[in-house]
Amino acid sequence: MTIFKKIINKEIPAQIIYEDDLCLCFNDIKPQAPVHLLLIPKKEIPTLDDLSEEDSKLMGHLVYRASVIAKEQGISDVGYRLVVNVKEYGGQEVHHLHFHILGGRNFSWPPG
Ligand code: 5GP
């Protein structure tokens, strides 16, 4: 079981920002920006590459919810970053699909 599944099950604590039937959003334990949230589906999907077509609506819900949360967090006016790390070269450590919502500072491009 991944650490995120334990957070979904409330077996380990997290600072929860938003929750509904389909998803959960909480503060990253090691923030890389003034605002660093993780938005995850409650459905256990290891990586972006494990999506099936039936997950399209769920992913639309997550992306829309990310934009709402960014507005609520006050980071959307100047802009923010929505990131999905995918597998080893993408830098994915937790194999439960998640969006990083990062804001409150300027981000460089290209990424390191
Ligand atoms: P990844 O590298 O897989 O894209 O990102 C995983 C993220 O999960 C990292 O930013 C890391 O700080 C965060 N993280 C790992 N373990 C925990 C935890 O137990 N609680 C919380 N809130 N975040 C975690």
Side-chain angles (χ1 to χ4, degrees), residues 3-4 26-30 85 91-94 98 100:
I3 198 91
F4 290 175
F26 50 94
N27 282 314
D28 196 293
I29 205 167
K30 203 176 154 197
N85 295 326
Q92 182 177 6
E93 288 178 359
V94 179
H98 51 281
H100 295 258

